Amino acid sequence: MSLINDPVDRKDTARKKYCRFKKAGIKYVDYKDPNFLLKFVNEQGKILPRRLTGNSLKFQRKVSVAIKRARHLALLPFVADGLK
Amino acid sequence: MFQNQYETVFILTPVLSETQIKEAVEKFKKTLTDNGAELVHEEHWGLRKLAYTIQHKNTGYYQLFQYKADAKIVAVLETDFKRDERVMRYLTTKLDKYALDYSDRRSKGLIGKKNVEPAKAEKAEATTEENA
C-alpha cells in the first residue's frame, strides 16, 4: 500500500448544472402554470434549493415568487404528501 | 399619462349557479370599466379543484382579468373583492415587460411546448383555408 494518494478516476457522468431558463430563453415564470412549477418543488411541496435545480439566482427568485403566488391561489399546495 | 398593466385572478365560490357567476364577473368588470380601466384580456377557467380547502370548499371558479389602469383602481377593485362574500381569493400582479410579452403570446394561444407550437399554427392555417 502506497502512502501517496492515488488519483481518483472521476466518471464523466457528473454533468455540470445549468440554468434551464437561460438555456431555453424563458424570460417570465408564470404562476398560473402549476404543472411547470411542480418541477421546482419536492414531494412535500417545498421549494427546491438552487444547488439542486441549478437555476441562476435571478430565476430562482422568480421561481420562488411564482410558486408563492400559485400557493396563494390554491394552484399549488402549501403542504402536501406525495405530490409526485 | 403612462398606465401600468395589471393582472387579477380571483376565485368565486362553487355554490353559485352559472348565471350568478356571470353576474358576479360582470359586476367586477363594471367596477373596472367605470373607473376608467381598459380591459385587455379576460379568461374564465371554469370550475377547478383547489390544492387545499378554502372556507371548507374544495373547488372554485377561476376568473382572470388583464387591464390597463391607474394604480388607484387596483385598491378600488380589491375593496370590492373584500366586501363581496362570493370571492374566496384574489391576487393582483403588476405586469413587467416580460410578463406583457408572455401574456400576449398566451392570449394568442402560443404558450405550450415548442413542438406543439408550429403544429398548432399549421392547424389554424388549415382551418382558415377550409373556411375560405
Side-chain angles (χ1 to χ4, degrees):
Chain A
M1 199 180 105
S2 70
L3 287 172
I4 306 159
N5 285 341
D6 290 324
V8 184
D9 247 8
R10 285 257 179 93
K11 280 173 193 163
D12 291 4
T13 48
R15 252 185 276 117
K16 195 163 167 24
K17 285 196 207 88
Y18 60 88
C19 179
R20 66 172 86 203
F21 295 99
K22 277 187 177 168
K23 202 174 184 187
I26 300 169
K27 297 274 174 59
Y28 176 65
V29 187
D30 187 19
Y31 64 91
K32 300 185 290 298
D33 188 357
N35 289 332
F36 176 69
L37 295 175
L38 223 49
K39 290 176 191 161
F40 305 103
V41 296
N42 69 3
E43 312 189 334
Q44 293 167 295
K46 290 183 177 180
I47 301 172
L48 289 172
R50 224 147 67 83
R51 64 168 188 272
L52 296 185
T53 58
N55 289 342
S56 63
L57 178 56
K58 184 176 175 181
F59 284 102
Q60 178 72 11
R61 248 187 275 124
K62 292 191 177 185
V63 164
S64 75
V65 169
I67 289 175
K68 286 164 189 174
R69 283 177 179 169
R71 280 178 183 162
H72 177 75
L73 284 171
L75 298 172
L76 280 180
F78 281 96
V79 281
D81 239 0
L83 202 60
K84 283 172 187 170
Chain B
M1 193 189 139
F2 179 77
Q3 286 186 318
N4 279 318
Q5 282 214 26
Y6 298 94
E7 185 179 72
T8 300
V9 181
F10 59 93
I11 312 176
L12 294 164
T13 53
V15 293
L16 301 175
S17 70
E18 283 287 321
T19 47
Q20 280 173 311
I21 287 157
K22 275 192 190 135
E23 187 196 291
V25 170
E26 282 303 319
K27 184 196 149 190
F28 294 119
K29 211 188 277 181
K30 200 165 170 294
T31 52
L32 278 178
T33 48
D34 280 359
N35 288 296
E38 184 197 329
L39 207 64
V40 179
H41 181 60
E42 65 169 308
E43 265 174 53
H44 187 64
W45 302 356
L47 194 67
R48 271 182 70 115
K49 211 164 170 290
L50 304 177
Y52 50 89
T53 54
I54 302 174
Q55 296 171 10
H56 308 292
K57 308 219 168 43
N58 282 311
T59 50
Y61 290 98
Y62 283 72
Q63 176 74 31
L64 178 142
F65 287 147
Q66 190 192 323
Y67 50 94
K68 215 182 269 181
D70 293 330
K72 291 176 211 154
I73 289 161
V74 176
V76 174
L77 185 68
E78 296 206 339
T79 32
D80 248 27
F81 282 143
K82 276 180 209 159
R83 284 176 185 165
D84 201 316
E85 284 180 355
R86 294 172 292 187
V87 179
M88 304 198 318
R89 276 293 158 88
Y90 58 86
L91 177 76
T92 305
T93 52
K94 185 172 138 186
L95 299 176
D96 60 10
K97 55 181 178 178
Y98 301 123
L100 280 175
D101 179 48
Y102 177 88
S103 62
D104 191 39
R105 280 183 292 136
R106 182 186 157 92
S107 60
K108 285 175 188 157
L110 293 175
I111 298 293
K113 284 193 175 151
K114 269 183 193 165
N115 311 339
V116 181
E117 269 181 43
K120 258 189 190 169
E122 276 167 25
K123 258 186 199 169
E125 276 170 27
T127 48
T128 47
E129 275 168 21
E130 276 168 24
N131 292 339

